[in-house]
Amino acid sequence: MPIPRYRLLSGDLLAQWGFSLQHLALGLLLGAIAGTLLGALFGLVPAAAQRVEPLFYALAQIPTLGWIPLFMVLFGIDNGLKLAVIIKTTVVPMTINTQQAVAGVPLALSEAAKVMNFSRWQRLRWLVIPASLPGWFTGLRLALSQAWVSLIVVELLASSEGIGYLMVWGRQLFQLDIVFVTIAVVGLSGMLMEWAANRACARLVFWPQPAAGRLAWKPQASWRALQLPLVLLALWQLASSWGWIDGALFSSPLAVATRFIQGALSGELTAAMLASLGRAFVGGRAGDCGGPALRTAAGAAPARRANLHAHAQRAAPYRPVCLAAAADRMGGQR
């Protein structure tokens, strides 16, 4: 029997919204800390960037939704799944933007710090952190929006609490008013988070910022980048061979490679990749065409209104004559 709608006003909506915000806050905090430390490591230690950065960027290309089946196996469908998804979603933009911000410290300021004999701690406190704070906030805004969307998706797929679960619950009970209310709450929450992040950035970053005309950070490319992936694959294969990892749960690298070759030779993998690339190409081209068109229309709207207003002002002296002529014509028709 459907549950009465008044329960939305008696605390269900606020309770489920609170559950979602708690998971978001905890996952965002952990992901922001990990992403900040990792990005600072890549930006300040070139040797670490050469060895770890390529593997990180390779894993970052996998969409968050693609990790959900693996996270379900590792963490179940409880709160661990939500935290894992939020942390993964947060770490990537925080790491990338922190690394670019740390590596993009103006050269003139770095030379001034050397002239003033700043220690490493003084350089980090008075130069690196203030100069990289705008880029860090950019990563935080991206991470916040992506984490919120990912959390809602996880709650829609596999969850027993949260605003996304409430949306599914309303759909299953055919109570579309609950669905629309939850959609509105999700949208308003995202807008409020974006506004809060922008306000915090405006309050904390109050000094002039240099124009970002070029990308000071460049991806590291070196043969050392192969060391870490090869070591991890070797350990994975040894653990699978010795029975430390259940083959039914995690296939060994050799089994994965064998399956990859079979799929490529049979054409199944190639067909699936071509289908995905085709959809991505069509959708991307549609977005590339529609986005500038909408932007142009939005930008041209004020100019069009100004032109119409100018024409109206020019035609104002003739308005009484036109009205009189129209009245005479209507009288003649009668």
Side-chain angles (χ1 to χ4, degrees), residues 238-257:
L238 289 176
S240 300
S241 301
W242 293 342
W244 293 353
I245 298 179
D246 188 3
L249 185 62
F250 289 106
S251 301
S252 65
L254 290 179
V256 174

Side-chain angles (χ1 to χ4, degrees), residues 119-240:
S119 63
R120 290 186 177 180
W121 169 248
Q122 289 176 332
R123 185 177 184 275
L124 179 64
R125 179 180 179 183
W126 300 110
L127 176 61
V128 176
I129 293 179
S132 59
L133 199 57
W136 185 86
F137 267 107
T138 301
L140 181 63
R141 288 196 295 267
L142 293 174
L144 183 60
S145 61
Q146 295 178 12
W148 178 241
V149 173
S150 300
L151 174 62
I152 299 301
V153 171
V154 172
E155 290 178 347
L156 288 172
L157 296 177
S159 179
S160 59
E161 59 183 10
I163 195 71
Y165 164 75
L166 188 62
M167 188 183 303
V168 176
W169 176 69
R171 179 186 61 82
Q172 292 176 347
L173 297 179
F174 297 99
Q175 296 183 0
L176 295 183
D177 51 351
I178 297 179
V179 176
F180 289 132
V181 168
T182 53
I183 291 174
V185 169
V186 170
L188 292 176
S189 300
M191 293 176 59
L192 182 61
M193 294 174 192
E194 180 69 17
W195 175 83
N198 290 331
R199 290 290 297 175
C201 181
R203 291 292 298 273
L204 296 177
V205 184
F206 52 84
W207 52 86
Q209 305 172 25
R214 62 183 181 87
L215 184 62
W217 162 82
K218 295 181 180 179
Q220 301 290 333
S222 174
W223 64 270
R224 297 184 180 88
L226 299 176
Q227 295 178 355
L228 182 60
L230 292 178
V231 170
L232 294 178
L233 289 176
L235 293 177
W236 183 4
Q237 181 62 40
L238 289 176
S240 300

Side-chain angles (χ1 to χ4, degrees), residues 3-22 161-163 165-166 169 178 181-182 185:
I3 300 178
R5 293 176 174 84
Y6 69 82
R7 289 191 58 182
L8 280 177
L9 302 178
S10 65
D12 276 354
L13 179 61
L14 293 178
Q16 302 300 333
W17 186 50
F19 287 139
S20 298
L21 292 182
Q22 290 176 8
E161 59 183 10
I163 195 71
Y165 164 75
L166 188 62
W169 176 69
I178 297 179
V181 168
T182 53
V185 169

Side-chain angles (χ1 to χ4, degrees), residues 27-39 42 56 60 83-98 139 143 146-147:
L28 187 67
L29 176 62
L30 298 177
I33 293 175
T36 301
L37 295 177
L38 196 58
F42 289 165
F56 171 81
L83 290 178
V85 170
I86 295 174
I87 291 173
K88 189 273 172 187
T89 306
T90 305
V91 164
V92 174
M94 291 299 300
T95 301
I96 295 175
N97 286 274
T98 302
Q146 295 178 12

